[in-house]
Amino acid sequence: TAGAGRCDVGSQAGADQVFGRVASYRLSDSDHSPVGVLAPMQGPDGCLGGVQVFEPVISARTCPGVPTSTGEPAALDLVGSFFRAEERTTLAASGLPAWTFATPLFSTAPGLTVAPAGSVGNLCLDHPITRLLWHSGQADGAGQFSCDIDVDNGLGGTVVPIGTSTYFQVWFRDFDASGVPTSNYTNGCLMRAW
């Protein structure tokens, strides 16, 4: 990678110091749900340095997703920090169909609408719902999609008071059991930002 020579980090302790993070390496909790997501970290000088750490999961899953065309439900977690001042919150979805188009959704109210508008999935949010279109994008070949969000300024003009419950979900294109194009959703996620 570019700059690998001048960004070489000799130890994990050095890496934690360079990147200013406390790394957590616990992979799962007692019910085997993820509590950390492996992510490459970038130092203040712009170099990757070949270091990876786990970011903590800062959300709780609400209503579940339904199986996608891959055979398993798509999963969504929020990782990073729920402290606004740190500006380090990421939506991390996995299990999507490879290369599919995805759009994050946001609401201040939970809900459950089964198969809305002909989708094969469940909408876990209630109105008003904001589509975070500026964060829309394509999943990678492994079916992973992520985007950084700004709770203070990046939720479509919605003002979220400190400590308010916020709910997120990702909508994505999918195929039904007959191969007909449709849409689906990840599970819902609840986060309180402080």
Side-chain angles (χ1 to χ4, degrees):
T1 58
R6 65 183 175 84
C7 300
D8 185 39
V9 179
S11 68
Q12 184 60 55
D16 291 342
Q17 183 178 10
V18 166
F19 296 118
R21 304 284 179 88
V22 177
S24 172
Y25 298 98
R26 189 158 61 98
L27 288 171
S28 63
D29 58 16
S30 59
D31 67 355
H32 305 292
S33 60
V35 296
V37 175
L38 185 65
M41 303 305 293
Q42 188 168 4
D45 57 2
C47 298
L48 288 176
V51 177
Q52 292 183 318
V53 301
F54 285 94
E55 288 279 48
V57 170
I58 56 173
S59 59
R61 292 181 181 179
T62 57
C63 74
V66 301
T68 72
S69 55
T70 67
E72 297 290 335
L76 176 66
D77 290 297
L78 277 72
V79 299
S81 173
F82 46 72
F83 293 108
R84 298 169 189 244
E86 293 191 14
E87 296 181 353
R88 188 166 57 87
T89 304
T90 300
L91 293 174
S94 60
L96 281 64
W99 311 115
T100 194
F101 180 79
T103 297
L105 308 174
F106 158 77
S107 178
T108 55
L112 176 59
T113 305
V114 177
S119 173
V120 296
N122 297 327
L123 177 61
C124 300
L125 311 177
D126 204 354
H127 296 285
I129 298 171
T130 301
R131 292 182 293 171
L132 305 179
L133 295 176
W134 50 96
H135 288 309
S136 295
Q138 191 175 40
D140 64 18
Q144 298 176 335
F145 170 81
S146 66
C147 62
D148 295 333
I149 59 169
D150 182 343
V151 177
D152 279 330
N153 304 301
L155 298 177
T158 302
V159 177
V160 180
I162 291 175
T164 300
S165 296
T166 53
Y167 298 85
F168 296 88
Q169 194 169 19
V170 173
W171 170 96
F172 57 93
R173 292 179 179 156
D174 201 359
F175 296 92
D176 67 16
S178 302
V180 176
T182 184
S183 64
N184 204 335
Y185 297 86
T186 63
N187 59 275
C189 274
L190 160 65
M191 181 189 78
R192 289 187 178 90
W194 298 94

